[in-house]
Amino acid sequence: MRIIVGVSGGIAAYKAAIVVSSLVQRGHQVQILMTDGATKFVQPLTFEALSGRPVGILVTDQPAGPISHVKLGQWAEVLAIVPATLGIMSRLALGQPSDLLSLTYMSYRGPVVIAPAMEPKMWLHPRTQEHAAKLSADDTQIVGPVAGHVASGDEGVGRLVDPDFLVRAIEHATAPKALSGIQVLVTGGATWEHFDPVRAITNPSTGRMGFEMAQEAAFLGARVTYVHGPRAADFGTLHPAVTAIPVVSAQEMRQAVWDIVGSVSIVVAAAAVSDFRPVASAKQKLHKSDITGHWEVTANPDILAELGQEYGGNKFLVGFAAETDNVVASAQSKLAAKRLDVIVANPVGASLGFGNYEHRGQIIDRFGGTAVINEGSKEFSAQQIWKRLVELYSQEQ
Ligand code: CTP
């Protein structure tokens, strides 16, 4: 994609360098425009080196050869502003361009992504909110800011969203919102079945797959409920269209799922639910002297199989099967037994699957169709899986 990244003058300007570096590595052409203020925080040379193009700063600058702000506006497929200060937001909202970046914005027609970063008090000021509302009404996508620590030492909503999240928001800016208006439920992470407050049966699943499935669905326009085990949402900025519901045990996950499932059309069960739980769980920490030689366990409910019983053939149900052997055959039998529409079969072993960032597998549908998931990050897998799910889901409607 051809992307203009505008950098305005705030302390978060250094994070724009991470965003630009990542966009370039992902194969995009990036033209940087900086406000004069931004150059006080980061040297233009940094951006020039990262983007491989001269940086535009003054209206008289002609970045990328003899090119005007009008031509820049025609060249770009996406315009992103990282970070956006109150100053640039007000110039854009009021239509008072005074620099190359705001002039380019005025002469550009296409998706715009703005990532504000400022003091929490400034962000919450009614004028700032008016500017943000006005820009949103013009179809400008405002991404963040998020809550956290800001440069002044304060805590509050004013922090730039994570660079990774911004890169994805920029990439999705031109993509059709294939899941717009659709409610999706995703389960993710391992459940923890406690023997006592400090010990539990669990497994090494990090929850990254469920998290990426929830995020990608939201980027595609869905409203998502993400029911997840401990720490399975700790992978950066959560999309605002994702509501995360943390749970610990399989029984809690089952309850949270049944509370919401009536209102969703698609269920993606990516959780690594513990198949067993202790029959008894001590309220206080057990000591060596309390151990009698064996612990009794009992089977947990199969959350997805129960959903299949109730909604199979009615709601669109997607399962995941992590297998060490007979990957496709085992996945196919789970698809049939749990009355699913689709199952994602994943080989797991020493170097793949659980906790590993790399991922590959196959998408098997109930008509016997298969699609291969090319190897890559779990973000890339989630993109491929959703692409296929959207096709299959729309065929069934
Ligand atoms: N699943 C579930 N509740 C369970 C067990 C599994 O919802 N108690 C869901 C998982 O989220 C996944 C699918 O069922 O989408 C398959 O899970 P997996 O652990 O691969 O298989 P199991 O059904 O547990 O069978 P087995 O342990 O025999 O492989």
Side-chain angles (χ1 to χ4, degrees), residues 22-225:
S22 176
L23 287 171
V24 171
Q25 284 176 50
R26 289 161 80 115
H28 304 297
Q29 298 173 56
V30 181
Q31 171 64 58
I32 307 291
L33 302 181
M34 297 177 84
T35 64
D36 190 42
T39 64
K40 309 283 187 293
F41 287 94
V42 183
Q43 284 291 323
L45 186 61
T46 303
F47 287 111
E48 200 168 310
L50 289 171
S51 68
R53 288 164 179 265
V55 171
I57 303 162
L58 303 172
V59 179
T60 48
D61 280 348
Q62 298 190 335
I67 214 168
S68 67
H69 58 272
V70 178
K71 289 238 177 82
L72 272 174
Q74 287 164 353
W75 171 85
E77 291 167 280
V78 181
L79 191 157
I81 304 187
V82 185
T85 58
L86 176 53
I88 191 83
M89 284 179 70
S90 64
R91 289 200 289 286
L92 303 187
L94 299 171
Q96 292 175 343
S98 59
D99 50 46
L100 183 59
L101 175 55
S102 44
L103 274 169
T104 305
Y105 171 86
M106 301 300 288
S107 44
Y108 163 82
R109 297 290 175 273
V112 181
V113 176
I114 287 188
M118 63 191 76
E119 267 294 291
K121 283 194 187 69
M122 284 171 72
W123 171 248
L124 290 173
H125 194 284
R127 284 306 83 66
T128 315
Q129 292 300 310
E130 278 167 28
H131 293 326
K134 205 163 183 184
L135 291 167
S136 291
D138 288 345
D139 265 354
T140 292
Q141 197 191 332
I142 312 263
V143 182
V146 291
H149 176 86
V150 292
S152 64
D154 264 7
E155 294 277 333
V157 177
R159 212 177 137 78
L160 189 78
V161 292
D162 286 345
D164 281 357
F165 186 86
L166 258 176
V167 167
R168 288 171 81 171
I170 293 168
E171 285 184 338
H172 278 85
T174 55
K177 298 274 174 266
L179 293 174
S180 180
I182 296 176
Q183 303 263 1
V184 174
L185 168 63
V186 178
T187 69
T191 62
W192 287 59
E193 315 295 332
H194 278 278
F195 286 101
D196 71 8
V198 295
R199 300 183 187 87
I201 303 178
T202 186
N203 63 68
S205 165
T206 60
R208 181 102 206 192
M209 195 66 237
F211 177 82
E212 297 294 355
M213 288 300 288
Q215 293 278 86
E216 182 63 17
F219 276 118
L220 294 174
R223 303 223 59 92
V224 184
T225 305

Side-chain angles (χ1 to χ4, degrees), residues 307-373:
L307 294 178
Q309 282 293 318
E310 180 74 18
Y311 294 113
N314 182 359
K315 291 184 190 294
F316 193 78
L317 302 179
V318 182
F320 276 70
E323 307 288 349
T324 51
D325 49 311
N326 292 326
V327 179
V328 172
S330 304
Q332 267 162 341
S333 65
K334 283 177 191 175
L335 176 133
K338 301 192 188 199
R339 302 189 61 204
L340 308 179
D341 293 276
V342 180
I343 195 149
V344 181
N346 289 320
V348 285
S351 67
L352 281 168
F354 283 155
N356 200 297
Y357 194 65
E358 294 297 311
H359 187 256
R360 65 164 195 240
Q362 281 193 54
I363 305 163
I364 304 166
D365 63 65
R366 69 188 169 97
F367 305 108
T370 58
V372 170
I373 304 168

Side-chain angles (χ1 to χ4, degrees), residues 182 265-266 316 388-397:
I182 296 176
S265 310
I266 301 177
F316 193 78
R388 183 75 187 131
L389 294 181
V390 164
E391 284 166 10
L392 293 165
Y393 178 71
S394 47
Q395 277 164 25
E396 293 205 6
Q397 297 314 296

Side-chain angles (χ1 to χ4, degrees), residues 205-289:
S205 165
T206 60
R208 181 102 206 192
M209 195 66 237
F211 177 82
E212 297 294 355
M213 288 300 288
Q215 293 278 86
E216 182 63 17
F219 276 118
L220 294 174
R223 303 223 59 92
V224 184
T225 305
Y226 176 45
V227 178
H228 65 86
R231 293 192 286 280
D234 299 349
F235 302 107
T237 304
L238 196 67
H239 194 291
V242 179
T243 304
I245 301 184
V247 297
V248 177
S249 66
Q251 285 174 301
E252 283 174 27
M253 183 172 276
R254 177 207 217 179
Q255 185 61 51
V257 162
W258 281 93
D259 285 348
I260 184 81
V261 71
S263 59
V264 310
S265 310
I266 301 177
V267 179
V268 175
V273 183
S274 174
D275 287 326
F276 313 101
R277 69 172 184 275
V279 169
S281 176
K283 292 267 173 295
Q284 272 89 36
K285 183 184 166 186
L286 296 168
H287 295 282
K288 280 194 199 72
S289 53

Side-chain angles (χ1 to χ4, degrees), residues 375-389:
E375 216 166 324
S377 67
K378 286 186 177 167
E379 175 198 338
F380 181 50
S381 295
Q383 285 173 352
Q384 297 175 74
I385 295 167
W386 271 117
K387 188 159 180 275
R388 183 75 187 131
L389 294 181

